[in-house]
Amino acid sequence: MLERNMEEAVANCPDLFIEPGLTLVQRQVVINGRRPDVLFNDLLSRHLLVEIQRGRLDEEHLQRHFYYYFDYRAKYPSTPLRLMFIANRLVPQHKEFLDEHGYEFRELPEHEFERRVSVCMGRSHKAQLSIEEVATPGVLAPSTYEFLYEIEQQPMTLCYKVLLLLLMAELTDADGRVPLRALGERFQEFFIARSLQNKTEENPRRVRQGTLSKRTVQAWERIIRDQPVHYLTESFVVDEGTSIRWAPRVWSKWTADLKREVRIACQDRLVRYFVRHVPGGY
């Protein structure tokens, strides 16, 4: 089966391949030469970007669709987004990556995909596939795609790394530095706020409730240096003792646009992490 036939079947019968209630978007945006294979609206008025690959999902398709996702989010910041990959086969590391990061996938072996295509073709009515494609220039610089993808690839045992990057983007001074004390205070405030709102502070499998909201600023300063700063390595941030500085390779490309996109990416990643790992979500 050709990939375009797979795309047509998914577009015609999304309830067979994804979920009920999806509506094909009649205006499909091509950004910087990239577009999703299929674009839907779901029942909650979110856009669902779907990438379909015949055979095994590979790294090129994964990265390319993430780049489109970043561009789409930057171009339409008020549009809630979902991201999904559909393939006949996914290797375990890609399944784990997507699952841990809060993205969606459907693995449908060739015989199962063909069975659903047969059901779709047997229906008396099909969705209208007249899609108006609107090409627009790229939104983000290539270096921004790459850095956001690096953030996306970071494993999250706890939320500390992404919370640190979010605060670094928000608090950095004109030289790319943030006082360690300011970071400790903001970490403390983050978990106290969750506690006061009766929210679970962190993944209960790893941290006992009430532990993080009771930590002192001094304790957070030590933990920030020993954990997120250490594990991000100097390719992201540099430990200067009383302050944390963006790595030179990041700061040399720092712009207002990159700052905005890093904040959005980290906030989005935090939300997905809490939804995935913490009862009650973000």
Side-chain angles (χ1 to χ4, degrees):
M1 180 176 295
L2 298 177
E3 218 163 79
R4 66 172 178 268
N5 300 130
M6 297 172 68
E7 294 173 17
E8 183 177 352
V10 172
N12 274 324
C13 304
D15 58 310
L16 293 178
F17 297 92
I18 303 174
E19 66 193 34
L22 294 177
T23 304
L24 189 66
V25 174
Q26 295 299 301
R27 183 181 175 94
Q28 206 163 17
V29 181
V30 182
I31 305 177
N32 201 25
R34 288 188 289 263
R35 69 170 177 84
D37 288 332
V38 192
L39 177 62
F40 294 106
N41 269 333
D42 70 9
L43 288 173
L44 298 179
S45 297
R46 297 171 298 182
H47 277 184
L48 171 61
L49 314 178
V50 181
E51 177 76 358
I52 301 165
Q53 185 170 10
R54 179 176 176 269
R56 180 178 63 83
L57 179 66
D58 59 38
E59 191 68 31
E60 181 183 351
H61 274 71
L62 196 72
Q63 185 181 63
R64 183 179 68 196
H65 209 48
F66 269 105
Y67 284 6
Y68 182 88
Y69 176 81
F70 300 146
D71 242 339
Y72 198 94
R73 188 174 60 190
K75 195 171 185 67
Y76 303 102
S78 62
T79 302
L81 282 182
R82 295 168 60 191
L83 180 62
M84 178 179 291
F85 296 85
I86 299 177
N88 299 130
R89 295 180 300 281
L90 288 89
V91 296
Q93 56 265 40
H94 284 159
K95 290 182 184 180
E96 182 179 354
F97 173 81
L98 294 171
D99 188 50
E100 286 294 316
H101 291 64
Y103 293 109
E104 301 171 70
F105 62 87
R106 301 286 187 272
E107 183 179 30
L108 298 171
E110 286 86 346
H111 65 88
E112 176 60 20
F113 204 103
E114 290 173 1
R115 185 191 69 79
R116 299 188 190 198
V117 169
S118 296
V119 174
C120 181
M121 291 176 64
R123 291 181 173 177
S124 59
H125 64 279
K126 293 182 174 66
Q128 192 68 21
L129 294 180
S130 58
I131 298 175
E132 177 191 359
E133 291 191 353
V134 180
T136 69
V139 177
L140 305 176
S143 59
T144 301
Y145 295 126
E146 294 162 6
F147 188 54
L148 296 181
Y149 193 51
E150 285 186 62
I151 294 174
E152 195 63 50
Q153 289 179 303
Q154 285 292 321
M156 289 179 69
T157 303
L158 296 169
C159 73
Y160 298 171
K161 283 192 292 187
V162 175
L163 180 58
L164 173 64
L165 294 176
L166 173 64
L167 295 176
M168 288 291 296
E170 290 181 349
L171 302 176
T172 188
D173 65 15
D175 296 315
R177 292 180 173 86
V178 180
L180 183 59
R181 171 54 65 101
L183 292 169
E185 291 171 348
R186 292 291 293 272
F187 265 70
Q188 184 189 58
E189 291 169 5
F190 180 83
F191 290 106
I192 287 177
R194 290 190 64 82
S195 178
L196 292 176
Q197 294 166 18
N198 294 317
K199 295 181 178 179
T200 306
E201 293 173 1
E202 245 287 2
N203 186 344
R205 295 184 178 182
R206 299 187 179 275
V207 181
R208 187 177 55 171
Q209 178 69 0
T211 301
L212 304 187
S213 58
K214 293 177 181 177
R215 281 182 178 161
T216 64
V217 172
Q218 291 78 10
W220 277 118
E221 290 179 29
R222 183 182 68 255
I223 290 167
I224 289 169
R225 296 180 68 193
D226 291 345
Q227 295 189 33
V229 171
H230 173 75
Y231 290 114
L232 283 167
T233 77
E234 291 191 351
S235 67
F236 273 90
V237 290
V238 178
D239 184 354
E240 295 186 328
T242 59
S243 64
I244 306 299
R245 176 171 56 87
W246 282 112
R249 64 114 185 181
V250 177
W251 192 244
S252 66
K253 302 171 183 175
W254 197 255
T255 63
D257 288 341
L258 179 56
K259 173 180 178 178
R260 181 190 68 245
E261 293 306 317
V262 168
R263 290 179 62 188
I264 292 171
C266 290
Q267 187 69 40
D268 183 49
R269 185 77 196 281
L270 274 177
V271 171
R272 285 186 277 114
Y273 168 81
F274 275 92
V275 169
R276 174 71 174 78
H277 296 286
V278 182
Y282 191 73

